[in-house]
Amino acid sequence: MKAIKLFLCLFISLFVFGCEEGTEYKYFEIKDESVLNQTVYLGDTQAPAPIEFMASGAWTSKVEYSTLDSATGRADESSNGWITLDPSSGESAGNYSVKIYLDPDKGKNVYRAVISFICNGETLEVTLENNHSYNPGDSDDVNDPEKIEAAKEELSSGFLSSSIHEVFDQLDKDYSTPESRKSLSSSSKQLEDLWYGAYDAINTCNLLLTACGTDLVDEQEINEIMANSHFYRALFHFYLASVFGDVPVQTEYPLILKPSRSSINEVMEFVMNEMEESIQLLPKYDWNYLEARFVHVLASVTRNNSFASPDIIDYLKSIVDEGDKFFDSNMDGIINSDDSPMVVQAYLLLAYAECENDNLNSSMELMNYLAEKLNDDNFRLEIAITPETIKEKIRSILSSDRGAGIKYLVNRFIFDYNWDYTMYLPLPMKALADNENLTQNAGW
């Protein structure tokens, strides 16, 4: 009889306090131990799952924060209040379901929080990782009609609802010289916006490329979606590598949360291959078709460290041959500075490369054609002129608004500045905090 009573006591103890195999708590029973480690993302107002437990008595709670700029890794006043628990305590034993609410504004400087539930001196800890990137999604999203439709809308708009293009152009305009770059730091909001915005858009492209193998994408849509998904995925990787150098290449949906960096040459090879995929699928008279060819050139320039290699000259010639009809990009019947500078840039880069290779007549023909097409004598060249004079004129034009979006590349490969550690900008502080596999660029 004593043996039976002992067995029953042990059984009851295990039932009340033991819950699942591997649980070491005496005064808590956890229904699902997976909720003890959760990740939240940019803009989230609630943690993914509540904390459900049975407590053997009254309990309280506290929250401790790790911040991006705290030497101790503990909370300061600015980080208090990111997390609100409902309920935050219990007056008696029983079952509880604690919801974790978040204030995104107060969590901007927090990368981790530890929530402690305390009962009879024992602590149950829940770790909340604050990932400052967008939610990478779930593999099941590929079968979600609403998410696929939203992704299609983003793609068809050219991701204009985001600020990625504007942020990149502004960075290129404001920080295209070594001296200007020294004023930036890894806490820059611009760098953060480019990093997270670009990878969020890349994730959307990855989702659509994956969805092209499902019933949610009509057969007549597949080529267009694939062409533009490859194009924008390449473009945003190009933006990232142009600014940060070595960056992770992300081709899966959902994104790998803690990827390692690829070398800039590997990234540019990826960009070139993606643009080739896009070029094969895009209509020849589509604007993205021409831009895909141009970004292919810029990636090749970065990889080869020159504007003047034979392959690049051939590619620029093909753009110029096909690009005449694209001068009036806003279709207002007038060719002026309101139009995209890309075609003009292709002419200027080809003229510079031809001059570098001593093909002065070809360089002059290109420049004089631009003068006539744009009705702008600033491009015009006289017959008796030296190679250096031609190159100086091209450098001067590309230093103006005509060089929008490629100022850094022009300064790097044409002006040949001494970049020192400012060749690439620092990775955002938050990206480094989110991913221990990333390392900061040298010198920053």
Side-chain angles (χ1 to χ4, degrees), residues 103-210:
D103 183 335
D105 289 335
K106 292 181 179 178
K108 288 180 178 178
N109 203 39
V110 180
Y111 66 90
R112 182 182 298 115
V114 176
I115 304 166
S116 298
F117 299 98
I118 305 155
C119 178
N120 292 326
E122 181 178 71
T123 300
L124 166 67
E125 287 191 347
V126 176
T127 300
L128 208 62
E129 300 285 347
N130 188 21
N131 192 311
H132 292 83
S133 62
Y134 293 91
N135 194 323
D138 187 272
S139 56
D140 289 339
D141 293 342
V142 73
N143 298 311
D144 186 329
E146 290 186 7
K147 292 193 174 177
I148 298 302
E149 282 305 312
K152 286 180 186 178
E153 289 180 16
E154 278 290 284
L155 184 71
S156 64
S157 74
F159 294 91
L160 293 179
S161 62
S162 67
S163 60
I164 315 167
H165 307 285
E166 293 177 7
V167 172
F168 174 76
D169 287 344
Q170 198 64 45
L171 281 168
D172 189 68
K173 178 181 179 181
D174 294 342
Y175 304 105
S176 59
T177 64
E179 284 306 312
S180 63
R181 288 175 167 235
K182 290 176 182 177
S183 64
L184 269 176
S185 74
S186 61
S187 61
S188 162
K189 182 69 164 52
Q190 285 176 291
L191 298 180
E192 188 180 314
D193 287 346
L194 179 65
W195 182 275
Y196 289 113
Y199 278 120
D200 183 48
I202 288 167
N203 202 32
T204 300
C205 293
N206 292 345
L207 172 61
L208 288 171
L209 287 169
T210 306

Side-chain angles (χ1 to χ4, degrees), residues 350-351 354-369 381-387 390:
L350 178 57
E354 292 282 45
C355 193
E356 285 274 89
N357 290 330
D358 295 325
N359 296 324
L360 299 191
N361 288 337
S362 175
S363 182
M364 291 179 66
E365 287 175 8
L366 290 163
M367 295 296 289
N368 288 329
Y369 179 79
L381 294 172
E382 302 299 332
I383 298 300
I385 199 165
T386 66
I390 297 175

Side-chain angles (χ1 to χ4, degrees), residues 114-386:
V114 176
I115 304 166
S116 298
F117 299 98
I118 305 155
C119 178
N120 292 326
E122 181 178 71
T123 300
L124 166 67
E125 287 191 347
V126 176
T127 300
L128 208 62
E129 300 285 347
N130 188 21
N131 192 311
H132 292 83
S133 62
Y134 293 91
N135 194 323
D138 187 272
S139 56
D140 289 339
D141 293 342
V142 73
N143 298 311
D144 186 329
E146 290 186 7
K147 292 193 174 177
I148 298 302
E149 282 305 312
K152 286 180 186 178
E153 289 180 16
E154 278 290 284
L155 184 71
S156 64
S157 74
F159 294 91
L160 293 179
S161 62
S162 67
S163 60
I164 315 167
H165 307 285
E166 293 177 7
V167 172
F168 174 76
D169 287 344
Q170 198 64 45
L171 281 168
D172 189 68
K173 178 181 179 181
D174 294 342
Y175 304 105
S176 59
T177 64
E179 284 306 312
S180 63
R181 288 175 167 235
K182 290 176 182 177
S183 64
L184 269 176
S185 74
S186 61
S187 61
S188 162
K189 182 69 164 52
Q190 285 176 291
L191 298 180
E192 188 180 314
D193 287 346
L194 179 65
W195 182 275
Y196 289 113
Y199 278 120
D200 183 48
I202 288 167
N203 202 32
T204 300
C205 293
N206 292 345
L207 172 61
L208 288 171
L209 287 169
T210 306
C212 281
T214 72
D215 294 336
L216 295 181
V217 177
D218 294 336
E219 189 173 342
Q220 60 268 28
E221 293 181 294
I222 288 179
N223 276 2
E224 181 180 357
I225 288 175
M226 289 185 66
N228 288 302
S229 294
H230 281 297
F231 169 78
Y232 284 109
R233 183 165 76 171
L235 180 65
F236 298 137
H237 276 99
F238 174 76
Y239 285 172
L240 288 164
S242 295
V243 171
F244 300 112
D246 299 350
V247 295
V249 172
Q250 293 273 28
T251 60
E252 298 179 19
Y253 186 88
L255 294 179
I256 298 171
L257 284 180
K258 296 186 177 181
S260 299
R261 301 172 76 175
S262 299
S263 72
I264 188 166
N265 281 347
E266 290 171 335
V267 180
M268 292 304 171
E269 284 286 349
F270 172 77
V271 170
M272 293 165 67
N273 290 335
E274 285 285 284
M275 288 304 184
E276 288 287 0
E277 290 276 352
S278 182
I279 289 164
Q280 296 301 315
L281 295 168
L282 284 167
K284 202 168 184 179
Y285 298 105
D286 189 282
W287 179 258
N288 281 0
Y289 173 83
L290 196 70
E291 190 168 1
R293 298 180 72 82
F294 189 62
V295 175
H296 186 289
V297 166
L298 299 181
S300 182
V301 166
T302 306
R303 186 195 61 178
N304 293 318
N305 290 305
S306 171
F307 274 114
S309 73
D311 289 345
I312 292 171
I313 289 175
D314 288 343
Y315 226 103
L316 284 169
K317 284 180 177 177
S318 72
I319 294 172
V320 166
D321 290 342
E322 297 169 0
D324 190 65
K325 54 187 169 291
F326 288 97
F327 271 111
D328 184 17
S329 61
N330 61 7
M331 305 296 287
D332 63 356
I334 304 170
I335 297 171
N336 55 28
S337 58
D338 292 332
D339 293 300
S340 170
M342 189 182 70
V343 177
V344 177
Q345 290 173 356
Y347 272 85
L348 291 169
L349 295 180
L350 178 57
Y352 192 91
E354 292 282 45
C355 193
E356 285 274 89
N357 290 330
D358 295 325
N359 296 324
L360 299 191
N361 288 337
S362 175
S363 182
M364 291 179 66
E365 287 175 8
L366 290 163
M367 295 296 289
N368 288 329
Y369 179 79
L370 280 176
E372 293 175 13
K373 195 73 178 177
L374 302 173
N375 192 27
D376 186 344
D377 283 340
N378 188 43
F379 292 86
R380 197 173 302 283
L381 294 172
E382 302 299 332
I383 298 300
I385 199 165
T386 66

